Amino acid sequence: MKWNLKDIISINDFSREDIECVLFNAKKMKSLSREKKSKILKNKVVASLFFEPSTRTRLSFETAIQNLGARVVGFADGGVSSQKKGETLSDSISTVENYVDGIVMRHPIEGAARRASEVSLVPIINGGDGANQHPTQTLLDLFTIKEEFNSIDGIKIALVGDLKYGRTVHSLALALNKFKKCKIFFVAPEQLKMPQEIMEKLTNVKVVETENLEEIVPKVDIIYSTRIQKERFPDEIEYNKVKDAYVITPNTIKDAKSSMRIMHPLPRVNELSQELDGTKHALYFKQAGNGIPVREALLKLLLEGKK
Ligand code: CP
């Protein structure tokens, strides 16, 4: 499999073959010994620049970097960087690229990762840019689906909750459009529907938009729940109107197929009852765990052999 991408910015930049290449390498990472893994990026340095809060993306990237034998530098809060003194993102990137072999970044502004890739000589990995995209989350979501169902083609999935601001569901819907015979149920209140510009790109999947979750529960293989993202609402009154729109409990899924699995990019607030955690349907913590092999694979594909 040939790898051509210099940066990981948007899932739109991936062909199906590129996605398959990441999943194949992630599978291989799972079976590699710690010792073999630790030689892959030996003597390399990767920057982890998080201008917005994160637990999973930052820690799994930093773990993956160290598992591959590289060192990590960076910050978990833009407030401790020179951004606080007024430095532009472009200037920060043009500086940091001199220190490292690659940059993982999260930023609250849509398009920030693309802008960084335009000025950077070293690979940029987008760990989430505002409400736009979260491509590495999508790759670990696809890896999780493939591990659980053996195939991504033909999957029937309900994307539930904040489809307007949820970057993970934007990237995932666009990725599923690259596979065969998938069906996506978009379940959201009117105010949080999937943006039209994304719906228009979904020409290769069947789509259904509904506000009624219970009605579609028996029909799907996966419920992909998302948090209503308070921090992205311009107005708290609007947030309060929809914050409890979909709270999934054991009763919500009583008519689900036995094989139905629940995914969530996490963190959750109250949209997924903790009563689900011990059930066979809960896949979300295993999904979070898959961040390690998938991010190891991405780092290897982007950085091995460079410099
Ligand atoms: N899924 C995800 O992006 O989680 P974090 O915000 O904790 O990184």
Side-chain angles (χ1 to χ4, degrees):
M1 280 182 243
K2 204 162 180 286
W3 181 255
N4 294 313
L5 296 173
K6 173 197 164 268
D7 307 289
I8 308 292
I9 305 299
S10 163
I11 206 70
N12 295 332
D13 301 334
F14 283 72
S15 64
R16 176 174 175 150
E17 290 67 35
D18 295 326
I19 293 173
E20 300 277 13
C21 180
V22 175
L23 305 191
F24 174 79
N25 278 278
K27 183 93 182 164
K28 269 186 17 189
M29 284 294 174
K30 277 188 104 163
S31 58
L32 266 191
S33 71
R34 265 176 183 263
E35 195 180 339
K36 280 199 174 139
K37 246 193 230 184
S38 71
K39 293 183 179 139
I40 294 174
L41 297 184
K42 201 161 183 279
N43 297 326
K44 298 217 183 279
V45 184
V46 181
S48 164
L49 310 183
F50 278 70
F51 296 90
E52 202 185 48
S54 168
T55 295
R56 279 146 290 274
T57 309
R58 185 174 71 83
L59 294 181
S60 62
F61 258 119
E62 293 187 4
T63 306
I65 291 164
Q66 296 185 52
N67 285 351
L68 298 179
R71 284 167 292 143
V72 60
V73 294
F75 47 79
D77 174 3
V80 300
S81 76
S82 284
Q83 176 190 249
K84 184 90 175 162
K85 297 182 250 175
E87 184 168 69
T88 63
L89 176 66
S90 300
D91 282 0
S92 299
I93 296 296
S94 297
T95 302
V96 175
E97 69 173 3
N98 294 295
Y99 309 153
V100 299
D101 301 288
I103 298 172
V104 180
M105 62 175 279
R106 171 173 286 187
H107 201 283
I109 297 176
E110 292 181 28
R114 180 74 71 196
R115 175 77 194 117
S117 72
E118 284 162 3
V119 298
S120 177
L121 293 174
V122 300
I124 297 285
I125 302 180
N126 181 8
D129 60 326
N132 185 32
Q133 285 244 348
H134 196 347
T136 70
Q137 175 71 42
T138 293
L139 292 163
L140 78 87
D141 292 343
L142 295 174
F143 183 76
T144 305
I145 294 170
K146 190 153 187 195
E147 289 269 283
E148 196 67 21
F149 293 93
N150 283 319
S151 172
I152 299 165
D153 291 320
I155 212 77
K156 294 185 178 64
I157 186 167
L159 305 183
V160 182
D162 186 350
L163 308 187
K164 180 177 180 183
Y165 298 111
R167 56 195 174 199
T168 63
V169 283
H170 297 167
S171 298
L172 183 54
L174 291 165
L176 290 171
N177 192 52
K178 297 173 193 288
F179 288 81
K180 289 185 198 148
K181 296 186 176 168
C182 295
K183 185 165 184 176
I184 310 178
F185 295 85
F186 294 100
V187 186
E190 185 63 28
Q191 304 93 308
L192 295 178
K193 281 174 72 172
M194 183 61 78
Q196 200 51 37
E197 68 263 24
I198 293 183
M199 294 301 289
E200 283 164 11
K201 292 193 174 99
L202 304 179
T203 51
N204 191 42
V205 281
K206 286 190 180 155
V207 298
V208 175
E209 289 190 281
T210 177
E211 291 187 31
N212 189 335
L213 175 60
E214 269 81 1
E215 189 181 272
I216 57 101
V217 161
K219 301 179 185 172
V220 297
D221 303 306
I222 300 166
I223 294 175
Y224 191 102
S225 169
T226 59
R227 178 175 65 92
I228 310 288
Q229 300 188 64
K230 187 178 181 184
E231 69 275 23
R232 308 232 185 264
F233 278 74
D235 178 346
E236 191 159 346
I237 297 170
E238 290 304 309
Y239 167 73
N240 285 330
K241 281 186 199 163
V242 290
K243 71 182 167 69
D244 295 321
Y246 301 102
V247 177
I248 302 173
T249 67
N251 190 51
T252 318
I253 60 162
K254 63 183 186 317
D255 296 326
K257 294 190 254 188
S258 159
S259 59
M260 190 278 289
R261 295 291 177 265
I262 301 171
M263 296 175 68
H264 192 304
L266 302 175
R268 68 175 154 187
V269 184
N270 67 341
E271 63 280 2
L272 268 190
S273 163
Q274 290 185 6
E275 290 173 88
L276 294 163
D277 294 0
T279 70
K280 65 185 173 200
H281 300 291
L283 193 55
Y284 29 94
F285 289 115
K286 194 169 171 190
Q287 177 188 357
N290 286 333
I292 297 287
V294 170
R295 288 175 172 133
E296 285 171 349
L298 283 169
L299 288 159
K300 173 184 183 293
L301 288 165
L302 284 181
L303 301 183
E304 194 181 40
K306 295 262 162 63
K307 276 196 174 173

